[in-house]
């Protein structure tokens, strides 16, 4: 059993690495972004509330996030472990997860410069159907504009626009970066510095977890 958190700035590659680890370790990725976007698309009350924050590049309130996560972790596919991507984003959320008795074996922190993130996210595309992530240079789809997984259309999300990314990075440094120290004190933080390739970063993560590539 392995319960993991993916930590890092928006655009650091958390979703990409979580998807790879999902395959290699055989545990599900719980992406709060995908869960929230599904709620937004369905127009649920919680989705509409979340959309207001997301459109401005702000964090979604804790009670919304923790409620969704707690519900999801009860599912059968999480019994052998899971990878949390996108939560916790604040010390308060981390404390709420602790209070709920949710324990993590490792917290993987992806370190990358703001400059590289701005460059990277301008090329990011996401499938509007299944949420799979691509990049026009680093991870292009087999057919331009079409998802390899489900054939859905690839779009640039509003929160990947440069102005919104800058705003999200500012929020990250203020609200989320303190989590590195929080988990370092617990002794389960694994610092992973950005590698030239996606595969290189995966290799470093697996080494940190004591897993074979």
């Amino acid at each position: 059993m392995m319960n993991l958190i993916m930590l890092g700035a928006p655009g650091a590659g958390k979703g990409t690495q979580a998807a790879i680890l999902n395959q290699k370790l055989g545990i599900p990725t719980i992406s709060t972004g995908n869960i929230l976007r599904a709620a937004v698309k369905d127009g649920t009350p919680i989705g509409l509330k979340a959309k207001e924050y997301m459109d401005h590049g702000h964090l979604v309130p804790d009670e919304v996030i923790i409620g969704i996560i707690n519900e999801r972790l009860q599912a059968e596919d999480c019994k052998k472990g899971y990878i949390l991507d996108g939560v916790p984003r604040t010390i308060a959320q981390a404390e709420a997860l602790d209070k709920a008795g949710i324990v993590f074996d490792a917290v993987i922190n992806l370190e990358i410069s703001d400059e590289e993130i701005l460059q990277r996210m301008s090329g990011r595309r996401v499938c509007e159907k299944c949420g799979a992530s691509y990049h026009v240079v680093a991870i292009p789809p087999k057919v331009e504009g079409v998802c390899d997984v489900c054939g859905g259309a690839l779009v640039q999300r509003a929160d990947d626009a440069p102005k919104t990314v800058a705003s999200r990075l500012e929020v990250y440094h203020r609200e989320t970066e303190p989590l590195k120290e929080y988990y370092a004190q617990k002794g389960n933080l694994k610092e992973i510095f950005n590698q030239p390739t996606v595969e290189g970063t995966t290799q470093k993560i697996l080494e940190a977890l004591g897993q074979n590539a």
Side-chain angles (χ1 to χ4, degrees):
M1 182 159 173
M2 191 174 285
N3 299 342
L4 307 175
I5 293 175
M6 299 298 293
L7 205 58
K14 299 185 297 295
T16 299
Q17 292 298 332
I20 295 169
L21 292 174
N22 163 253
Q23 294 296 316
K24 290 188 177 289
L25 302 177
I27 53 177
T29 299
I30 312 301
S31 167
T32 50
N34 286 348
I35 295 171
L36 284 169
R37 277 189 287 278
V40 168
K41 195 174 179 183
D42 294 342
T44 64
I46 206 167
L48 293 172
K49 189 176 175 186
K51 185 177 189 297
E52 198 178 320
Y53 288 89
M54 290 161 74
D55 283 350
H56 291 91
H58 296 154
L59 297 177
V60 177
D62 289 353
E63 66 269 18
V64 178
I65 298 287
I66 301 301
I68 288 171
I69 291 299
N70 261 331
E71 191 174 70
R72 179 67 183 86
L73 296 186
Q74 306 311 312
E76 190 62 34
D77 64 342
C78 292
K79 295 286 187 272
K80 292 181 180 176
Y82 48 80
I83 305 162
L84 272 193
D85 170 21
V87 76
R89 285 188 174 178
T90 62
I91 297 290
Q93 285 182 2
E95 289 172 344
L97 289 169
D98 286 347
K99 198 173 178 182
I102 299 167
V103 181
F104 302 99
D105 299 294
V107 177
I108 299 160
N109 180 59
L110 301 178
E111 276 292 334
I112 181 171
S113 71
D114 286 5
E115 292 75 20
E116 193 166 345
I117 282 173
L118 283 163
Q119 186 180 18
R120 179 184 287 187
M121 289 183 77
S122 65
R124 190 157 79 164
R125 300 292 180 270
V126 178
C127 177
E128 60 183 4
K129 264 192 185 176
C130 74
S133 209
Y134 298 87
H135 191 280
V136 293
V137 178
I139 318 168
K142 289 169 187 166
V143 178
E144 189 178 342
V146 180
C147 177
D148 293 350
V149 180
C150 74
L154 301 184
V155 295
Q156 183 178 49
R157 297 205 324 247
D159 56 0
D160 285 341
K163 194 174 178 182
T164 311
V165 172
S167 168
R168 292 173 70 201
L169 284 171
E170 191 182 319
V171 171
Y172 165 76
H173 291 304
R174 185 176 68 247
E175 303 274 357
T176 307
E177 207 161 20
L179 285 169
K180 291 196 290 189
E181 181 60 28
Y182 182 86
Y183 287 112
Q185 287 181 359
K186 288 179 176 290
N188 58 359
L189 184 74
K190 309 285 185 188
E191 290 270 36
I192 308 295
F193 291 91
N194 191 46
Q195 302 298 307
T197 64
V198 170
E199 294 78 14
T201 301
T202 304
Q203 180 66 40
K204 292 290 182 188
I205 293 171
L206 291 170
E207 286 171 10
L209 294 175
Q211 300 285 317
N212 293 322

